[in-house]
Amino acid sequence: MNSKRKIPPIGSIVFVICWLIFFYFATNIRPLAIITNAWTQKESIEYGYSIEHPAEWVKQSLSREDDDVILLLRNAGAFTLRIRRQTAENPTPEDVAAWGKAVIGERNQRARMKGNPLGLADIEIKEEIINGEKVIFRKYGTAESVNLDAYIARENDMIIIALATSHGQFSLYEEDFMRTVRSFSPMQ
């Protein structure tokens, strides 16, 4: 009598799904982005902008804590992208960068008050001309996380587009973040 057991078809499917999930997290590869390379565009008539981002970045509900956040995107817990807005009359990119520094200070202060100091510190500050306008980028973080902010001045407001992720994930999302920032444009 043959004592070999056959694996039922459902068992094989479960095994393959578990293996794919393990592979995804073990290798930090973003299969959906690699396979589809699909991008989507979001428009906000209320705030007067359009922006493109990878389709797998999912829009999230906003919390009351972030009253200046106008868009929040996440991807399977690997990163957070926030777009913040504050009204201002004829701000400069330096004004936006000063506001960004204040936001970082507030985050540090809130964390200290909760007994969990972040210690967010600047890593690099650089400038780039995008669509004829100066944009300031600030890279900062902690031992565990890295953040990259883009500071954009518009005629009547200031915009911060901010990426937050782990050091291990940063290189996976930096290029898409930069493309997203470059796609940010006012609506006519």
Side-chain angles (χ1 to χ4, degrees), residues 3 9 11 18 33 41 45 57 60 72 78 100 106 111 133 136 138 157 161 170 179 183-184:
S3 63
C18 289
Q41 182 176 15
I45 295 170
W57 296 8
Q60 302 290 302
L72 177 63
E106 291 167 10
E133 301 292 331
I136 298 175
R138 173 180 279 131
D157 61 11
I161 305 176
F170 183 76
R179 179 175 167 187
S183 77
F184 184 88

Side-chain angles (χ1 to χ4, degrees), residues 87-161:
T87 58
E89 191 171 321
N90 296 313
T92 65
E94 291 75 17
D95 294 333
V96 187
W99 171 44
K101 188 70 170 174
V103 169
I104 294 166
E106 291 167 10
R107 287 179 58 199
N108 276 328
Q109 179 64 24
R110 277 196 310 264
R112 270 193 297 279
M113 290 173 61
K114 293 178 182 178
N116 184 21
L118 289 175
L120 294 167
D122 284 349
I123 298 170
E124 174 185 25
I125 297 175
K126 65 180 183 176
E127 298 177 0
E128 185 175 320
I129 302 299
I130 299 176
N131 300 321
E133 301 292 331
K134 181 166 84 171
V135 176
I136 298 175
F137 290 90
R138 173 180 279 131
K139 186 177 178 181
Y140 59 98
T142 66
E144 295 82 31
S145 68
V146 65
N147 303 265
L148 181 58
D149 290 359
Y151 303 128
I152 301 169
R154 301 194 306 172
E155 186 176 334
N156 295 310
D157 61 11
M158 302 184 291
I159 301 292
I160 299 174
I161 305 176

